[in-house]
Amino acid sequence: MGLIQHDVIIIGAGVAGLTAGSILVEKGYNVALIAKGEPTACLSTGCIDICSLDHDPLHGVSHLPDEHPYHLVSRAVIRESIEKFKESMVQMGFPYTGSPESNRYVLSALGTFKTTCLVPSTMAAAPQDEKDDLHIITFSGLKDFYPSYITARRKNASFSTYDASASTTMGLATNFEREDFLEKFLSWLEKLNIQEGKIAFPAVLGLESAATITQKIEERLRCKVFEIPTIPPSMPGRRLFNALKDYFRKKGGMIYWSWPVSGVEKTKKIIEAVTTPSEGRPKSLNAKVFILASGSFVGGGLTARRDTIVENIFNLPVFVPGQRDNWFDSDYFSLNHGIGKAGIIVDSSFRPKEADWENVFVCGGILAHTDVLKNGCGHGMALATGYAVAASCMGYIK
Amino acid sequence: MIKTDVIIIGGGATGCGIARDLALRGIPHCLIEKGDFAAGATGACHGLLHSGGRYVVSDPHSAKECYDENIILRRIGEKCVEQTGGLFVRLPGDSKLYRDRFLKSCEKIGIPAEIISSTKALDLVPNLNPDIEEAVKVPDCSIDPFRLCMLNIISSQKRDGIIFTRHKVTEIIKEHGRCVGVKAADQVSGELREIHGNVIINATGAWSHLVAQLAGNEVPLTLSKGSLVITNHRLTNMVINRMRPSADGDIIVPNEAVCLAGTTSLAVEDPDKIRIESQEVDTIISEAGRMIPHFNDTRIIRAFSGVRPLLKSAKADSREITRGFQIFNHGDGMYSIVGGKLTTFRLMAEKTVDTVMDYFKLKKPCETADIPLEGQEELSGYPLAKRLADMKNIVCECELVSRAEVERIIKQTGTRYVGDISHRTRLGMGPCQGGFCTFRALGIMHEKSIISPEQSMNALRDFLQRRFRGIRFCLWGDQLREEQLVEYIYMGILALEKK
Ligand SMILES: Cc1cc2nc3c(=O)[nH]c(=O)nc-3n(C[C@H](O)[C@H](O)[C@H](O)COP(=O)(O)OP(=O)(O)OC[C@H]3O[C@@H](n4cnc5c(N)ncnc54)[C@H](O)[C@@H]3O)c2cc1C
Ligand SMILES: Cc1cc2nc3c(=O)[nH]c(=O)nc-3n(C[C@H](O)[C@H](O)[C@H](O)COP(=O)(O)OP(=O)(O)OC[C@H]3O[C@@H](n4cnc5c(N)ncnc54)[C@H](O)[C@@H]3O)c2cc1C
């Protein structure tokens, strides 16, 4: 047994785990969060999808199939979780625009519209229809952004290329954080004498100061500026992750990084501790309650074998969508692959059904029947269930 | 309209070999292929340059042909053949009698075969199942089928051969009962091209009955589907065969950075309607896993099927049908060349061109066995040093393909297909199977104005759909995880619509 006794241990540093963690520390609990690596938020656009099936996301939620985990959370709680999220992002200097009453679009790097709900302020000016004139700025050598994908679709768009001697989104974002770089860039931009009403950038406008950088460009050029999310590594995704993580830390939460949980210690129906194989660190961590927020396949919470799907830490029963042949539809674009339903089925207090443990709670992408891609409900569902799970835990600890 | 002497339909190994042979004998010719080179069975095969061992018991005649050609190809294709050597491993329970017949027949034909102990075999291939009884060492080799086609085509192009890829022959023009030309449709623009010649050679493998039909001719063909799986790394440096009569999943061939294992054998009707089943994938993995246990937990990056064009026979099991080949003179200026193996493509080409020479009453002998394949220096792979030279501009991280390399291929071939770039650079062949780099390659293509961005969106959709067909039945473990990521990138982040 380890020496430190925590009230709650959360496994996974994604949107779900960090949301649950922040709420619990704010309520005064001693919380440790452990993660083996970065969450899927870092790969994402940074936009919060709540439910993209309907123009009104909450209306969309109520039409999801009965077994969807959103139904375990009341609408009021979904709203609260969004409010809470927006507040904390303002505190972290990375404000979001939008409300859970209506969806909006962001322009994708293919020139299509991605439906989402809350967007970072750097994307607030993204066009909502075909009308806006756009001028796109790209950077020579940037291999993950091709403005012609967009100009082909939008007749009123053109582009210019700046040589920033960096070929990655991370390299460019780092450059933008430098005052001298930004100044030089701004004077180049002014000389372009752009006529279009809006200026679009691949999402590389800084890392910590993205909101202020965007604002600065808008003020200098006196026109609207917005970012277009890129494929990973994605800067807005990383900003989201950093903001959530820093918020949690600021409130007093602690994080054990690169701490892959590989086993558990248990007595009867209680998990006492989780363990890791790494040397030179506490080998096990104890807590009264464990929250499993280890994500789906990409996050690392679930692993598919040739004939079944397993949960990697507590070996919880997993809902497996039939035999392997049924995991994927033959049409790649159907968005209806059975695999999207794989995960853990929980009861109304987010405890895994038919499992042996009473002090394990589950939230986020690892839940069963989420169909995240089909329903467009990634981070939104992680926020809502993370928020709700915190309440369940508090109830249990009392 | 184009006029030539000989029209070759089909750009698999056989067609490309015929083009080279005709070129070396000075006969003007034109080759027409509906896809890229090696689009048919050639590109879907194991890439095993047979020593003959596989057929030595069931079909000694084909075995002899294979061995003779194996020696020739090692000589003329030094740089495109990897002289791996091969083992036939006998597992507990595999018949010793078969092994005896195997050795006896090898001796009779002259295929060098040496029995080695299991200890010695494990020294050679440490991943081998330690329970094997013994192994027999034979001169099997690994060959890159696509590169082989390209090398044959270089000889043709150097001697004014006319080559059309992405052109499908849709009509054979007949006058007074004789074939005098073909009409071929450009698969991109739909435009019809007319090409006239004195002789038409039908080298369309599993499609040869369909092409023959265009001229009202018949070709007796049995189609047999075979499937293969590819691992993400090389588990063996030698070809591994099972010492038993041919069955599912008993050959593993190393090729560049990966291994191919297979195959299966199922009769099919339509060469364009083949699909792989997850059961086949499972069978191949568990059979290959008996020879190399590590196979069971290795990452499979893709599975695919090809159709063997076999001569029609009364035999029920397609594995027992001869791997020999036959030339059909339809008597109207069309010749069909059917059957055979990748290994024997050169011999098939030689015999076909001999027939054509007889028709033209010309005497020049075949030289393809003596002259080394031209262009091997440039085409022999894409050395790592070259790949690493431009690290900053890597477009495909899995296979380290640089932007400059992609641009060079686009310029050289004017291609509109990502597949053509992949074949020539290995772009998209690694673990992510083009998940990231295709978006980039197409972006570069429309930046270079080769295709319109709208075309590139269609190409992207088409690519993803095809790619999915190859990986769908191999999705578990890390490969499934990677696939979920790629799916989220295209459908989530990029909001690619189905159309
Ligand atoms: C490429 C991509 C792009 C996306 N884009 C968007 C988007 O734009 N908008 C949106 O709303 N949604 C998006 N999503 C979906 C969204 O990211 C997820 O649905 C959601 O964030 C899930 O969060 P989570 O906290 O449950 O888990 P995850 O983000 O998956 O995090 C899991 C965490 O658990 C840790 N972990 C796993 N196993 C262990 C272990 N054994 N020991 C210790 N730690 C472990 C991981 O290291 C990680 O920190 C995207 C998803 C992907 C894959
Ligand atoms: C799974 C599998 C594994 C194999 N493994 C091996 C091996 O390891 N070693 C070995 O020696 N042999 C192997 N073989 C056999 C070998 O692949 C074939 O015998 C050989 O490749 C046949 O070559 P081909 O050129 O005759 O036919 P193909 O390669 O099929 O070429 C025919 C070409 O004609 C084209 N075509 C069709 N119709 C038209 C048209 N109307 N107009 C224009 N073009 C057209 C097609 O696109 C195709 O490219 C294997 C076969 C299979 C299926």
Side-chain angles (χ1 to χ4, degrees):
Chain A
M1 256 197 205
L3 299 170
I4 320 153
Q5 170 82 34
H6 297 285
D7 294 323
V8 183
I9 282 180
I10 300 172
I11 302 156
V15 174
L18 286 163
T19 299
S22 294
I23 301 206
L24 288 162
V25 277
E26 281 176 328
K27 297 275 180 212
Y29 292 92
N30 174 346
V31 184
L33 194 146
I34 53 192
K36 69 173 171 191
E38 290 182 345
T40 56
C42 290
L43 308 167
S44 78
T45 62
C47 303
I48 310 293
D49 305 348
I50 294 179
C51 176
S52 43
L53 298 178
D54 191 289
H55 178 68
D56 174 350
L58 291 181
H59 192 250
V61 165
S62 55
H63 283 85
L64 289 170
D66 290 346
E67 57 284 2
H68 197 284
Y70 253 138
H71 294 306
L72 300 173
V73 187
S74 72
R75 289 220 208 168
V77 169
I78 297 178
R79 275 209 193 83
E80 267 171 49
S81 70
I82 300 294
E83 277 319 306
K84 170 80 199 145
F85 167 77
K86 287 179 73 175
E87 268 167 45
S88 51
M89 290 296 111
V90 168
Q91 277 191 43
M92 301 316 289
F94 188 46
Y96 272 72
T97 306
S99 85
E101 267 67 52
S102 72
N103 275 324
R104 53 161 62 223
Y105 294 132
V106 289
L107 191 66
S108 85
L110 283 180
T112 51
F113 286 122
K114 172 188 160 61
T115 305
T116 186
C117 186
L118 308 180
V119 301
S121 62
T122 64
M123 293 180 204
Q128 300 299 307
D129 53 40
E130 305 289 340
K131 283 190 264 165
D132 292 349
D133 297 347
L134 303 183
H135 192 85
I136 306 165
I137 303 295
T138 184
F139 301 88
S140 50
L142 179 57
K143 60 185 169 190
D144 284 330
F145 189 71
Y146 299 86
S148 49
Y149 274 120
I150 302 169
T151 51
R153 286 187 166 238
R154 301 182 68 98
K155 300 295 159 253
N156 43 4
S158 57
F159 71 92
S160 307
T161 309
Y162 185 70
D163 186 359
S165 43
S167 60
T168 60
T169 47
M170 187 55 130
L172 285 164
T174 315
N175 280 346
F176 270 99
E177 289 287 343
R178 283 182 10 225
E179 199 73 38
D180 55 330
F181 176 91
L182 184 59
E183 265 317 309
K184 215 171 130 202
F185 173 75
L186 278 169
S187 49
W188 173 82
L189 198 57
E190 281 170 329
K191 282 196 204 100
L192 280 185
N193 196 12
I194 292 168
Q195 299 302 316
E196 290 90 343
K198 284 184 178 178
I199 309 181
F201 289 87
V204 300
L205 300 178
L207 203 51
E208 293 91 31
S209 341
T212 36
I213 294 171
T214 311
Q215 219 175 349
K216 202 160 180 179
I217 303 176
E218 285 190 333
E219 281 160 13
R220 277 282 275 277
L221 276 271
R222 265 175 257 105
C223 73
K224 288 281 176 203
V225 165
F226 69 93
E227 287 188 310
I228 297 169
T230 65
I231 67 174
S234 153
M235 292 309 111
R238 183 161 295 279
R239 293 170 201 151
L240 167 66
F241 165 62
N242 283 344
L244 286 170
K245 177 187 72 177
D246 294 345
Y247 184 85
F248 172 68
R249 281 220 179 102
K250 202 172 102 184
K251 299 287 160 183
M254 102 182 249
I255 306 186
Y256 292 87
W257 280 117
S258 305
W259 216 94
V261 178
S262 59
V264 297
E265 288 168 12
K266 60 208 176 196
T267 42
K268 290 196 185 125
K269 285 176 150 299
I270 301 290
I271 299 282
E272 304 281 356
V274 286
T275 60
T276 187
S278 10
E279 294 295 329
R281 294 202 188 93
K283 284 237 183 240
S284 70
L285 288 170
N286 305 65
K288 297 187 191 123
V289 176
F290 294 84
I291 297 179
L292 183 66
S294 53
S296 180
F297 298 98
V298 180
L302 298 176
T303 298
R305 304 251 170 90
R306 244 200 285 165
D307 51 356
T308 188
I309 296 170
V310 294
E311 185 276 308
N312 294 320
I313 296 174
F314 301 105
N315 197 20
L316 300 176
V318 174
F319 171 78
V320 180
Q323 294 195 317
R324 197 171 90 225
D325 275 358
N326 301 320
W327 295 355
F328 290 91
D329 194 85
S330 59
D331 176 9
Y332 185 64
F333 294 98
S334 79
L335 284 184
N336 206 12
H337 303 300
I339 199 77
K341 298 192 166 49
I344 311 295
I345 299 180
V346 291
D347 64 18
S348 57
S349 59
F350 292 91
R351 262 184 283 213
K353 276 194 179 159
E354 283 161 45
D356 301 332
W357 324 116
E358 58 180 51
N359 62 337
V360 173
F361 295 80
V362 186
C363 62
I366 195 175
L367 293 170
H369 299 290
T370 54
D371 266 323
V372 166
L373 201 48
K374 177 181 172 189
N375 299 324
C377 64
H379 294 330
M381 214 249 336
L383 281 173
T385 56
Y387 192 89
V389 116
S392 282
C393 279
M394 291 186 269
Y396 174 83
I397 295 175
K398 273 179 203 148
Chain B
M1 191 184 69
I2 295 167
K3 269 199 79 74
T4 185
D5 282 355
V6 180
I7 297 170
I8 310 157
I9 313 175
T14 312
C16 295
I18 293 171
R20 171 170 187 254
D21 199 326
L22 286 167
L24 293 181
R25 297 201 222 190
I27 312 286
H29 58 277
C30 170
L31 182 145
I32 306 162
E33 162 59 48
K34 73 176 155 121
D36 192 7
F37 301 115
T42 302
C45 89
H46 249 130
L48 167 58
L49 182 60
H50 284 278
S51 59
R54 182 82 277 160
Y55 308 111
V56 79
V57 175
S58 60
D59 188 354
H61 179 74
S62 300
K64 173 88 173 81
E65 278 177 0
C66 283
Y67 181 54
D68 292 345
E69 288 301 309
N70 171 299
I71 292 176
I72 293 171
L73 273 163
R74 278 193 271 160
R75 191 173 63 226
I76 65 166
E78 218 185 331
K79 289 266 160 68
C80 79
V81 173
E82 194 187 343
Q83 304 211 18
T84 56
L87 296 179
F88 275 77
V89 299
R90 192 161 66 82
L91 291 172
D94 289 347
S95 145
K96 206 165 176 180
L97 204 69
Y98 182 82
R99 183 265 254 165
D100 293 340
R101 288 170 65 199
F102 182 94
L103 288 171
K104 210 186 228 160
S105 188
C106 279
E107 196 182 333
K108 207 158 134 203
I109 295 172
I111 302 174
E114 178 198 344
I115 300 197
I116 58 175
S117 68
S118 64
T119 323
K120 181 87 194 295
L122 274 141
D123 273 351
L124 291 171
V125 181
N127 272 332
L128 222 48
N129 181 348
D131 295 337
I132 63 165
E133 303 278 359
E134 62 186 7
V136 175
K137 198 170 155 218
V138 293
D140 281 339
C141 300
S142 158
I143 185 164
D144 184 318
F146 181 75
R147 206 174 291 157
L148 181 68
C149 288
M150 295 287 286
L151 290 171
N152 277 277
I153 287 299
I154 288 174
S155 299
S156 158
Q157 280 172 327
K158 279 194 171 163
R159 292 167 186 76
D160 298 326
I162 307 166
I163 314 286
F164 290 112
T165 53
R166 309 281 179 192
H167 279 71
K168 180 178 181 176
V169 171
T170 50
E171 196 180 322
I172 305 235
I173 308 163
K174 282 188 122 173
E175 276 171 18
H176 311 296
R178 283 199 60 83
C179 302
V180 296
V182 302
K183 284 188 186 163
D186 183 327
Q187 297 300 90
V188 181
S189 66
E191 205 179 311
L192 269 191
R193 214 181 268 281
E194 201 168 314
I195 299 147
H196 282 216
N198 301 315
V199 166
I200 295 176
I201 299 175
N202 173 14
T204 52
W207 293 265
S208 52
H209 56 308
L210 302 172
V211 171
Q213 254 167 33
L214 295 176
N217 295 323
E218 263 179 53
V219 168
L221 209 58
T222 292
L223 302 183
S224 149
K225 181 188 80 165
S227 300
L228 292 165
V229 304
I230 305 187
T231 60
N232 73 337
H233 67 284
R234 219 165 133 125
L235 293 159
T236 164
N237 286 324
M238 290 179 90
V239 173
I240 308 295
N241 304 267
R242 182 89 175 266
M243 180 64 91
R244 67 172 182 197
S246 294
D248 287 345
D250 52 9
I251 306 178
I252 305 172
V253 182
N255 184 309
E256 301 241 334
V258 304
C259 269
L260 287 82
T263 113
T264 49
S265 180
L266 291 154
V268 290
E269 293 286 326
D270 184 343
D272 290 309
K273 285 209 186 94
I274 51 166
R275 45 167 280 168
I276 194 160
E277 316 277 338
S278 45
Q279 213 187 339
E280 284 178 273
V281 172
D282 289 347
T283 307
I284 295 171
I285 292 173
S286 57
E287 287 299 324
R290 296 201 57 199
M291 300 192 285
I292 296 184
H294 198 38
F295 223 95
N296 285 308
D297 45 31
T298 285
R299 182 159 168 185
I300 305 294
I301 55 177
R302 194 158 67 93
F304 58 88
S305 304
V307 183
R308 299 178 190 91
L310 302 178
L311 284 166
K312 197 164 212 136
S313 135
K315 292 195 169 129
D317 181 353
S318 57
R319 283 215 168 83
E320 286 175 20
I321 300 175
T322 173
R323 292 318 199 235
F325 61 87
Q326 202 174 327
I327 298 161
F328 294 91
N329 180 351
H330 299 292
D332 57 357
M334 180 189 254
Y335 297 83
S336 293
I337 163 85
V338 182
K341 298 289 298 171
L342 178 76
T343 306
T344 55
F345 85 97
R346 194 212 57 84
L347 179 66
M348 292 160 72
E350 173 177 342
K351 297 293 178 206
T352 311
V353 177
D354 282 350
T355 312
V356 172
M357 295 301 275
D358 284 350
Y359 170 83
F360 286 126
K361 304 208 167 46
L362 291 170
K363 288 247 138 42
K364 195 156 194 286
C366 174
E367 291 181 313
T368 53
D370 308 314
I371 302 175
L373 291 170
E374 295 163 275
Q376 288 186 70
E377 294 308 325
E378 303 96 88
L379 258 179
S380 56
Y382 171 29
L384 196 59
K386 226 162 142 189
R387 296 183 184 218
L388 293 174
D390 195 13
M391 272 311 274
K392 254 182 90 177
N393 285 308
I394 295 290
V395 173
C396 165
E397 281 92 359
C398 305
E399 297 283 342
L400 298 176
V401 182
S402 71
R403 184 175 171 123
E405 190 61 16
V406 171
E407 289 182 356
R408 189 177 66 78
I409 299 293
I410 293 175
K411 205 166 138 210
Q412 209 176 57
T413 60
T415 184
R416 296 153 183 219
Y417 295 88
V418 196
D420 294 0
I421 301 175
S422 305
H423 276 144
R424 288 159 181 83
T425 61
R426 295 193 62 81
L427 175 115
M429 302 284 213
C432 88
Q433 290 287 296
F436 284 76
C437 56
T438 307
F439 165 69
R440 297 174 186 152
L442 286 165
I444 296 172
M445 273 159 89
H446 60 69
E447 238 174 56
K448 300 268 156 235
S449 303
I450 297 283
I451 47 173
S452 74
E454 199 46 47
Q455 277 172 326
S456 81
M457 289 286 271
N458 288 331
L460 192 53
R461 273 186 212 105
D462 186 55
F463 167 82
L464 287 169
Q465 199 72 275
R466 273 165 197 271
R467 164 183 178 280
F468 188 59
R469 248 178 267 152
I471 59 176
R472 180 177 164 209
F473 293 110
C474 309
L475 292 177
W476 63 85
D478 287 338
Q479 202 60 21
L480 181 137
R481 188 171 174 220
E482 178 111 35
E483 183 44 35
Q484 292 283 93
L485 172 63
V486 169
E487 199 185 321
Y488 223 114
I489 289 177
Y490 284 102
M491 255 78 96
I493 300 177
L494 295 173
L496 179 65
E497 328 99 324
K498 181 172 181 181
K499 179 93 181 202

